[in-house]
């Protein structure tokens, strides 16, 4: 109560003793207005002051009750009692909460009118106060009261109850009006205070919401920058803990296909426990983490008991790990499209009731985190896809670069868009030169075909290994096989992919195989040399050469062109290019020669090849190929060599065949000669025997000695002749069997020549042949006496035999290392064409009718001379005479 009011009313003033006057009532109302308007006071204090204004002026006690927000209860918020001793009693009397829907209060609130409650039973009051106050209740029974409504804006906010002692006067109308005025003013003030409080609360919660929003915006802004899941975890946990005022936080992620939630980030007080116990949580485990993920809904644990109650095992594990689980926590699923990718945990230091705003805020935070996570995942997927695409591109580019086949991409009008290194190599144009240009390398004659093919590709027809001809930059034709396909790049017109393989070499080798197979057949067709030579010459014409020449080397070393073939000219050139010098060199060296025709040539560009004809490592001839139509290269040379190998075999076969036939002819000739030769001495002997027998019959006394001597001479000569023939045959078989053993000794060849010559004296005399010996002295050496005797005998007997009784000259000369015997006659001589084969078996240069003999003597002589390391040679002129020369080393070289 204010002092001014108190002084005015005075201490002894009692209600009822004297009803307040009008000005006192106005003063009371003014005081009440002042108290109610005092903004420095809190509403409960205002109510207390109001009650104090009422008591004791208008009643012995008063109580102000306000209705609960839900309108069901009335609670006492202020009370006053006139005397200190009754205050406690009164307080306990009005303390109980009243139901708002029964009793006088309900009536007052419903009607909005004050209600006079004249009498309350003491017994009834007794129930309301503690026993210790029952005595007081006897003295001051609050049995009469006036209940007034607290009215504001047409609503009842509560009641003001004023009691009077039983003895006091009842409330007069003025007092009641005054009290109602006070009650209304109090209600108005309360209403204003409530509105103000409500407005302040609204402002506060708006501030809280704005604060949260700001924090959320910060987190969201940061999340929008984040590109990876770990970074999302970091931002949302670190920022989130601060934003929601948590003591710790954690972030678990479930990778697709993984049966566990893995901890990506944790922070705060629980970090150690979380990373220790919950770094990987199997999804089937029972925990708020997994439950929030499995069910995609938040798991709120507002008290420590909630954890124990719902997840007892987990609570036990937390206790074991660290001792105290957080008093409250929430696991928020990171859901995208109804599926949780992980969960976000916040732990709090206090038990906490999450109100709707808070829940909404936390769920929004989790939602943003989930979105960021989904974005990060998409980004990762996209990055992976991009990387895979890049890799695929690179691989494809590498394949195209490394491809041995030419790969090209052309527009349907033939403009080149891709040209790989193999294409550069194959056609000779670089990518820079052809990209954007019309495809080069298509010969004029193939242009139409090329455009037809392109049209076909545009219509979906493809080429698969089709063979055609293209052209190198230098004009060389290229045999190719090509594959095509239509490709449709996204957003562009269809193009033609071409893969081209150079099959020139394959074609050439197939052609070569075919050619060689054909050549084999042609070469095998005849064994006649002449025929074979003609075939050989014509094999490569005109396919590989315009002109072909076949050259053979004579025994004399002379090289002759024996056959030619010419594509254009019916009359073959005598000696085709490259001429005898080159051919001779090729035969001598056994190495082929190639003139590709690419080099500048004064006589026009002309390519030629010369390859040796070889058998058993010995070159006996050569083939030449000439063309002016193209270049020759290594492959042509290879083919020519292969052809030459086959031709050489065919020629060798023809030669062997000819020699075999010759041998057969010789053998037959020999047999007839041999039978004749062997028979001749026997016939002579027979004749002598018969002559002697006839003479003996005619003159039994005896045959005259001269006559007998003549016959015996003939017999001896024939026997010698017979022996010589048989010995020759024996020598042949010995030599052929390789059993010609030499018996070397030191000899004087001059002495031996003289000895043999002496043996020939009767023969020389008989035939009237003069013999001249010119013998150098000292013709010493180590030789086989008997074999040399045989050689000299043969040469002398031939000189006498074919010498036409003309003089025979034997000359012996010496050098330091060798000796030489020349037997020269002036007889029939030998035709040049026979000279080379005289020293062969059975070879003879005369007819057996005119001259006897096996044709073996010279062959045997050669074998023997050569066995002693020497040589034998002949020079002769037909009808002039012959000279046979034997040269012997003084000592036979070893080996
Ligand atoms: P033959 O027993 O037939 O004489 P050779 O081997 O001694 O056999 O001689 C071979 C051939 O060489 C003879 O048939 C002959 O034609 C020829 N011939 C050898 N020596 C002479 C010579 N001095 N003058 C001419 N021809 C000769």
């Amino acid at each position: 109560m204010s002092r001014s009011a108190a002084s005015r009313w005075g201490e002894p003033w009692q209600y009822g003793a004297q009803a307040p006057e009008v000005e006192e009532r106005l003063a009371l109302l003014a005081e009440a207005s002042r108290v109610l308007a005092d903004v420095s006071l809190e509403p409960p204090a205002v109510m207390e002051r109001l009650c104090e204004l009422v008591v004791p002026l208008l009643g012995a006690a008063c109580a102000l009750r306000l209705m609960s927000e839900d309108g069901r209860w009335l609670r006492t918020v202020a009370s006053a009692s006139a005397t200190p001793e009754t205050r406690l009693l009164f307080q306990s009397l009005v303390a109980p909460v009243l139901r708002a829907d029964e009793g006088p209060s309900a009536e007052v609130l419903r009607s909005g009118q004050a209600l006079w409650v004249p009498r309350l039973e003491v017994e009834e009051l007794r129930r309301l106060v503690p026993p210790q106050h029952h005595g007081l209740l006897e003295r001051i029974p609050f049995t009469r009261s006036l209940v007034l409504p607290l009215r504001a804006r047409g609503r009842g906010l509560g009641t003001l109850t004023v009691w009077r002692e039983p003895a006091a006067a009842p409330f007069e109308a003025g007092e009641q009006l005054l009290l109602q005025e006070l009650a209304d003013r109090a209600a108005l003030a309360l209403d204003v205070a409530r509105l103000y409080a409500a407005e302040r609360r609204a402002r506060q919660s708006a501030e809280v919401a704005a604060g949260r929003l700001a924090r959320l915006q910060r987190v969201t802004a940061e999340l929008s920058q984040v590109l990876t899941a770990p970074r999302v975890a970091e931002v949302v946990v670190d920022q989130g803990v601060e934003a929601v005022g948590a003591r710790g936080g954690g972030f678990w992620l479930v990778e697709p296909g993984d049966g566990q939630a893995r901890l990506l980030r944790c922070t705060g007080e629980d970090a150690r426990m979380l990373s220790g116990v919950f770094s990987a949580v199997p999804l089937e485990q029972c925990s708020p983490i997994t439950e929030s993920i499995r069910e995609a809904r938040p798991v709120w644990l507002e008290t420590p008991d909630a954890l124990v109650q719902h997840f007892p095992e987990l609570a036990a594990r937390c206790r074991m790990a660290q001792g105290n689980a957080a008093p409250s926590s929430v696991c928020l699923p990171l859901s995208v499209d109804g599926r949780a990718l992980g969960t976000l945990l916040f732990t709090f230091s206090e038990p906490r009731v999450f109100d709707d705003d808070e829940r909404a805020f936390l769920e929004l935070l989790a939602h943003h985190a989930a979105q960021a996570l989904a974005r990060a995942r998409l980004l990762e997927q996209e990055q992976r896809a991009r990387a895979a695409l890049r890799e695929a591109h690179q691989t494809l580019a590498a394949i195209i670069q490394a491809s041995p086949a030419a790969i090209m991409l052309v527009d349907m009008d033939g403009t080149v868009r891709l040209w790989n290194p193999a294409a550069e190599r194959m056609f000779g144009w670089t990518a820079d030169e052809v990209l954007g240009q019309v495809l080069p390398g298509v010969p004029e004659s193939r242009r139409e075909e090329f455009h037809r093919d392109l049209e076909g590709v545009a219509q979906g027809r493809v080429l698969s290994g089709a063979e055609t001809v293209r052209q190198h930059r230098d004009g060389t034709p290229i045999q190719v096989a090509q594959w095509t396909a239509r490709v449709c790049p996204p957003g562009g017109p269809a193009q033609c992919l071409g893969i081209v393989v150079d099959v020139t070499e394959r074609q050439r080798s197939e052609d070569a195989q075919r050619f060689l197979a054909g050549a084999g057949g042609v070469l095998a067709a005849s064994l006649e040399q002449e025929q074979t030579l003609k075939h050989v010459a014509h094999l490569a014409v005109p396919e590989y050469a315009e002109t072909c020449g076949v050259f053979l080397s004579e025994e004399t070393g002379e090289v002759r062109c024996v056959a030619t073939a010419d594509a254009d000219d019916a009359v073959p050139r005598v000696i085709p290019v490259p001429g005898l010098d080159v051919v001779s060199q090729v035969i001598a060296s056994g190495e082929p020669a190639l003139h590709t025709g690419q080099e500048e040539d004064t006589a026009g560009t002309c390519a030629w090849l010369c390859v040796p004809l070889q058998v058993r490592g010995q070159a006996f001839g050569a083939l030449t190929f000439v063309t002016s139509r193209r270049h020759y290269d290594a492959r042509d040379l290879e083919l020519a060599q292969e052809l030459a190998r086959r031709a050489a075999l065919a020629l060798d076969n023809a030669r062997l065949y000819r020699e075999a036939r010759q041998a057969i002819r010789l053998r037959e000739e020999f047999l007839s000669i041999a039978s004749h030769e062997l028979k001749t001495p026997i016939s002579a002997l027979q004749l002598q025997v018969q002559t002697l027998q006839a003479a003996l019959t005619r003159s039994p006394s005896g045959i005259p000695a001269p006559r007998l001597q003549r016959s015996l001479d003939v017999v001896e000569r024939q026997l010698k002749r017979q022996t010589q023939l048989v010995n020759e045959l024996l020598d042949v078989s010995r030599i052929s069997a390789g059993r010609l053993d030499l018996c070397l000794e030191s000899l004087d060849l001059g002495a031996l020549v003289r000895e043999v010559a002496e043996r020939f004296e009767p023969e020389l005399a008989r035939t009237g042949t003069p013999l001249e010996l010119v013998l150098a002295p000292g013709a010493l050496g180590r030789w086989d006496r008997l074999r040399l005797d045989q050689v000299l005998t043969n040469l002398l007997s031939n000189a006498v035999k074919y010498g036409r009784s003309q003089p025979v000259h034997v000359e012996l000369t010496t050098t330091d290392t060798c000796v030489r015997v020349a037997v020269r006659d002036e007889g029939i001589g030998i035709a040049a064409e026979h000279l080379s084969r005289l020293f062969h078996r059975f070879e003879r240069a005369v007819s057996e009718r005119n001259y006897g003999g096996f044709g073996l003597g010279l062959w045997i002589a050669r074998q023997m001379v050569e066995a002693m390391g020497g040589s034998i040679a002949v020079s002769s002129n037909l009808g002039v005479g012959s000279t046979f020369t034997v040269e012997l080393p003084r000592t036979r070289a070893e080996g």
Side-chain angles (χ1 to χ4, degrees), residues 674 677-682 685 713-732 734 759 787 790 793-794 797 854 856-857 860:
E677 284 293 297
L678 289 171
K679 223 175 119 192
T680 309
I682 291 170
L685 281 174
D713 283 349
V714 171
V715 168
E716 193 194 5
R717 236 186 1 262
Q718 293 308 328
L719 278 175
K720 262 189 191 165
R721 176 75 185 136
Q722 187 79 10
T723 309
Q724 190 198 344
L725 289 172
V726 171
N727 277 343
E728 277 187 1
L729 290 176
L730 281 174
D731 280 341
V732 170
R734 263 200 295 272
R759 252 199 338 265
R787 303 293 179 203
Q790 203 175 333
T793 302
N794 179 269
S797 84
F854 287 163
L856 287 169
I860 292 169

Side-chain angles (χ1 to χ4, degrees), residues 485-498:
R486 188 173 62 169
V487 290
C488 300
Q495 290 176 309
C496 172
L497 170 71

Side-chain angles (χ1 to χ4, degrees), residues 496-740:
C496 172
L497 170 71
I499 297 176
V500 179
V501 175
D502 185 346
V503 293
T504 312
E505 290 305 307
R506 195 194 73 197
Q507 191 99 29
R508 276 180 77 179
S509 60
E510 280 173 10
D511 290 350
Q513 289 301 324
R514 253 198 312 278
F515 170 68
L516 288 173
V522 171
L523 290 172
S526 170
L527 276 172
E528 294 299 333
Q529 187 171 30
E530 207 169 311
Q531 196 71 18
T532 308
L533 284 171
K534 223 160 96 193
H535 284 157
V536 168
H538 282 90
L539 279 174
V541 176
E543 209 169 337
Y544 282 96
E546 287 167 83
T547 307
C548 173
V550 185
F551 294 78
L552 291 181
S553 159
E554 302 289 327
E555 285 201 9
T556 55
E558 191 195 345
V559 173
R560 282 195 311 123
C561 177
V562 290
T564 57
D566 202 299
D568 313 319
D569 194 355
V571 184
R573 295 171 201 158
V574 182
I575 304 285
V577 177
L580 281 178
D581 284 351
V582 172
V583 175
S584 301
Q585 201 184 330
V586 166
I587 296 174
S589 66
E591 293 297 325
L594 163 67
H595 181 81
T596 61
Q598 279 168 314
E599 307 87 354
E600 269 314 299
D601 201 320
T602 43
T605 307
C606 173
W608 54 257
L609 280 166
C610 182
V611 288
L613 289 164
Q614 285 175 313
V615 279
R616 296 174 284 281
Q618 201 63 41
F620 65 88
L623 297 181
T624 59
F625 303 93
V626 187
T627 187
S628 60
R629 287 199 288 261
R630 65 185 185 92
H631 303 311
Y632 279 144
D633 61 15
R635 296 292 302 269
D636 293 307
L637 183 61
E638 237 171 68
L639 179 67
Q641 281 180 298
E642 189 54 44
L643 184 67
R645 262 193 288 279
R646 292 171 191 223
L649 273 179
L651 287 172
D652 194 43
N653 284 344
R655 183 182 61 79
L656 289 173
Y657 176 64
R658 195 191 62 217
E659 283 178 5
R661 279 202 314 190
Q662 173 87 348
I664 291 167
R665 187 181 57 73
L666 284 175
R667 191 192 63 191
E668 280 163 4
E669 218 172 274
F670 166 74
L671 286 176
S672 84
I673 293 170
S675 55
H676 174 257
E677 284 293 297
L678 289 171
K679 223 175 119 192
T680 309
I682 291 170
S683 307
L685 281 174
Q686 221 172 8
L687 186 68
Q688 287 308 316
V689 170
Q690 284 167 0
T691 310
L692 283 176
Q693 273 177 343
L696 207 56
T697 312
R698 273 199 309 275
S699 46
S701 55
I703 303 164
R707 169 87 177 90
L708 191 60
Q709 185 57 48
R710 266 200 316 277
S711 286
L712 283 175
D713 283 349
V714 171
V715 168
E716 193 194 5
R717 236 186 1 262
Q718 293 308 328
L719 278 175
K720 262 189 191 165
R721 176 75 185 136
Q722 187 79 10
T723 309
Q724 190 198 344
L725 289 172
V726 171
N727 277 343
E728 277 187 1
L729 290 176
L730 281 174
D731 280 341
V732 170
S733 71
R734 263 200 295 272
I735 290 166
S736 300
R739 286 191 280 108
L740 186 68

Side-chain angles (χ1 to χ4, degrees), residues 77 106 163 196 286 310 358 364 421 602 660 818:
V77 295
W163 280 268
Y196 175 69
C286 183
H310 296 294
E358 211 163 8
L364 197 59
T602 43
C818 67

Side-chain angles (χ1 to χ4, degrees), residues 721 728 794-795 798-803 825 827-830 838 840 843-847 851-860 876 881-882 884:
R721 176 75 185 136
E728 277 187 1
N794 179 269
L795 293 183
N798 279 351
V800 173
K801 188 166 153 188
Y802 305 108
D825 64 63
I828 61 171
I830 306 160
L838 279 190
H840 293 182
E843 293 286 3
R844 309 180 76 240
V846 290
S847 86
Y851 296 97
F854 287 163
L856 287 169
L858 283 178
W859 181 74
I860 292 169
S876 182
S882 313
F884 286 85

